Amino acid sequence: MKKILYIEDDPVSTIFVSKIIQKMGHEVVTANTSELGLSKAYAERPDLILMDVMLPGLDGFEMTMKMRNSETLKHTPIIAITGTHNAGDEQIATIAGCSGYITKPIEYAPFVKYMNSFLEGHEPEETPIEPKEENLELKKLSQRLVQRLTDKVNELSHTNTELEKSNKKLDRVVDETRQHNTDLLQTNEMVNVILGIHQREELYRLLPQMICDRLQLPSVSIYLVNEQGLTLDAFWHHQFDVRADSDKLNFTKPPFYDLVYHQEPFYIDSAWLNAARQVDDVLARDLASLSDAFHAPAVYFLPIMGKKQDDLFACQNSDCSAFNNKDTQWWKKEIHLLDPHDLDYPARLKNVSDFYFNCCLYNLKAILAIGVPEGRMNEPFRNLMNSFSTSIGMRLENIQLYDDVHDAFMVAEKQAITDGLTEVYNYRYFHHQLERELKRAKRHWYKVSLIMIDVDHFKHYNDLNGHPAGDEVLRRLAEIFRNTTRTSDIVARYGGEEFIIILPETPNIAALKLAEKIRATVEEEKFLNGNSQPLGKLTVSVGVATFPDESQSPEDLIQRADEQLYNAKSKGRNRVSSREIK
């Protein structure tokens, strides 16, 4: 049994030839590269070497010449195998030092016979080569080696070129990393600064200039959502004299449309604008004008979000799915159903927005827009700005929370705020809170509703059952009102048997729903001797009014609610009344 080394990079040929050799009763060692084949030739000391001419790295002829210059392998028979049929290849193989030459495809019987002649020491007689022909083949072999060397030089040159590109890319990465570290340091310092700011207006006013100066950006704007007019009100700062034409922008179109309702970042650059021109040239011109106002090749818009607050009470929006485990994307889908090209689009959008902006899950505080210089926008910078906008949102949320707690504490310090009998807020506190809520509503453009409640035929109940029983009814009613409303709502005793409830951030339709719920709950309650009342049970009449749809002042809002209460009583009592709001 002989040992045969087969150097072949084609796995199919390797398996086929190896099986033939093994069937002949010999041991076969394989290698799939010239370098591995040379290593195994030294290690295994084979009796015969079969070698494919076309190998990666050194080819078969070059390998043969290398082996013939080795004391260890110079006498080992080497048979060249090739799938090409170029004229002169057999002579080149002979000149290179090959003992034999076989062409593919390999046929079993001729291959076995050819191999046995080598293994038994009967090598086929070589065809003599004329000196002139030998010189010609030597010249071909030299040209072949020169071409291989040229290819290697070209390959090395290409590798050097790619290495230079990689080095330049690495330099850019180093520069970006250095810039990112600088941006990170400046951003951390800005976070420390905003932690010391305790007023929203001051934060909105200082933040744009601070970001421009610290991060060396051409322009920055903070947009506040004005849901009443469906506009964005801007706080600007930039390094140039030119600024946007208006400080109010319509957010019913991209990119602000998606920012306000989807609360996701948006990026505009020249490529985006070019694509937009193919779809909507008017929109593209508007956005190009907006982009030009930032004096930068790109603008990055980021929503500034506050943390979502847990609420033990269900949202007053009937379609809100925050607490009923339905579709949390309801309003987004509703908004996408609207066609911006319809004539009634603004009105329909406004109707959907009334629910959206007063929903318990709505927590957009503002929009941060930054002009991004050439080459500045990369993934680290994007992530840094996303984190920074989150820090701003959290600070705004904390400022709001601090203001709410501080205001409540100051009111509690100045005066007694609860009614002694019912333990709900008193008349004085009600007036204070109504003024405060309307000021907040004007500043943030949301709705405030007022519910005024009066006990039907309460004098009759007192005359029949006595004042202690009447007092117990008032206490139980106050408890019902507290249990039916949200913690953010303000329940107060307005006087005698009248109660009033302030509903912050609540549109008229939600207030009517709550009022009807209160009326029905009272009607179902079993009060002492309630069946002796003129209506057969103790009931309440309710009037509802909403700011700013019906009024612009606290006094006017109270008057409108009182008028609706009177209307409910005049129509038979035990009902809810409100002016129809379109």
Side-chain angles (χ1 to χ4, degrees), residues 216-221 294-300 369-373 376 381:
Q216 299 180 348
L217 298 174
S219 54
V220 173
S221 179
F294 282 85
H295 307 283
V299 185
Y300 191 38
I370 57 177
V372 184
R376 190 73 175 276
F381 183 77

Side-chain angles (χ1 to χ4, degrees), residues 453-524:
I453 307 169
D454 185 77
V455 183
D456 296 328
H457 303 293
F458 189 67
K459 185 177 183 303
H460 179 273
Y461 187 92
N462 274 341
D463 293 342
L464 186 65
N465 300 287
H467 286 279
D471 290 345
E472 186 60 32
V473 167
L474 294 178
R475 279 192 288 268
R476 179 58 188 137
L477 287 173
E479 184 179 357
I480 291 173
F481 302 155
R482 284 196 302 268
N483 293 338
T484 309
T485 55
R486 304 168 299 182
T487 54
S488 58
D489 299 332
I490 299 167
V491 181
R493 187 179 179 190
Y494 194 67
E497 69 272 21
E498 287 187 336
F499 292 83
I500 197 160
I501 304 174
I502 305 173
L503 306 176
E505 302 183 33
T506 305
N508 186 262
I509 187 172
L512 283 173
K513 178 183 176 183
L514 178 60
E516 178 57 29
K517 183 178 180 181
I518 290 172
R519 186 207 62 77
T521 303
V522 173
E523 183 181 22
E524 294 171 2

Side-chain angles (χ1 to χ4, degrees), residues 232-463:
L232 295 167
D233 301 338
F235 288 81
W236 275 84
H237 182 77
H238 39 78
Q239 309 292 0
F240 302 88
D241 294 333
V242 182
R243 60 180 295 156
D245 294 337
S246 174
D247 285 341
K248 290 186 180 294
L249 299 169
N250 190 316
F251 67 66
T252 62
K253 295 182 179 180
F256 301 113
Y257 177 86
D258 292 326
L259 281 158
V260 172
Y261 290 107
H262 288 202
Q263 302 177 1
E264 296 174 353
F266 198 93
Y267 183 66
I268 293 179
D269 59 6
S270 57
W272 193 98
L273 290 173
N274 289 335
R277 290 189 183 96
Q278 306 301 317
V279 179
D280 190 336
D281 188 58
V282 175
L283 173 62
R285 286 200 301 270
D286 292 342
L287 291 178
S289 176
L290 173 65
S291 178
D292 291 342
F294 282 85
H295 307 283
V299 185
Y300 191 38
F301 298 90
L302 284 158
I304 298 176
M305 314 293 294
K307 59 180 180 293
K308 294 180 179 179
Q309 299 289 344
D310 293 331
D311 195 335
L312 298 178
F313 298 89
C315 181
Q316 292 302 306
N317 285 344
S318 59
D319 293 289
C320 177
S321 51
F323 295 92
N324 56 17
N325 296 321
K326 291 183 181 178
D327 186 359
T328 58
Q329 306 298 310
W330 170 84
W331 43 80
K332 296 180 184 179
K333 293 180 179 178
E334 285 293 315
I335 291 168
H336 276 298
L337 291 176
L338 305 182
D339 187 352
H341 301 290
D342 287 345
L343 294 177
D344 62 346
Y345 172 73
R348 296 180 65 191
L349 178 64
K350 182 65 177 170
N351 185 49
V352 176
S353 298
D354 282 341
F355 285 88
Y356 179 75
F357 289 122
N358 292 287
C359 177
C360 58
L361 290 185
Y362 178 72
N363 64 336
L364 180 71
K365 296 299 179 186
I367 295 170
L368 172 65
I370 57 177
V372 184
E374 187 72 38
R376 190 73 175 276
M377 195 64 176
N378 50 40
E379 197 62 26
F381 183 77
R382 187 190 301 268
N383 292 336
L384 183 62
M385 289 297 96
N386 291 350
S387 298
F388 182 52
S389 68
T390 301
S391 299
I392 299 172
M394 295 298 289
R395 183 55 189 157
L396 288 170
E397 191 71 41
N398 289 336
I399 290 174
Q400 179 179 329
L401 181 61
Y402 175 83
D403 288 345
D404 292 342
V405 173
H406 181 264
D407 289 348
F409 176 78
M410 292 302 294
V411 171
E413 283 289 300
K414 289 181 179 180
Q415 60 185 24
I417 61 175
T418 57
D419 174 66
L421 174 65
T422 61
E423 295 185 351
V424 295
Y425 293 119
N426 59 22
Y427 176 86
R428 184 179 180 186
Y429 182 77
F430 157 76
H431 267 281
H432 173 82
Q433 288 300 102
L434 182 60
E435 290 181 2
R436 178 174 177 267
E437 288 300 333
L438 293 192
K439 286 179 181 178
R440 289 180 60 194
K442 290 176 182 178
R443 186 166 66 247
H444 297 291
W445 303 286
Y446 59 67
K447 297 177 184 295
V448 175
S449 290
L450 203 61
I451 295 178
M452 185 172 285
I453 307 169
D454 185 77
V455 183
D456 296 328
H457 303 293
F458 189 67
K459 185 177 183 303
H460 179 273
Y461 187 92
N462 274 341
D463 293 342

Side-chain angles (χ1 to χ4, degrees), residues 87-112:
D89 277 359
E90 186 172 356
Q91 286 77 14
I92 293 176
T94 301
I95 293 172
C98 292
S99 307
Y101 184 86
I102 300 175
T103 58
K104 298 178 183 178
I106 292 175
E107 297 181 6
Y108 179 80
F111 178 77
V112 171

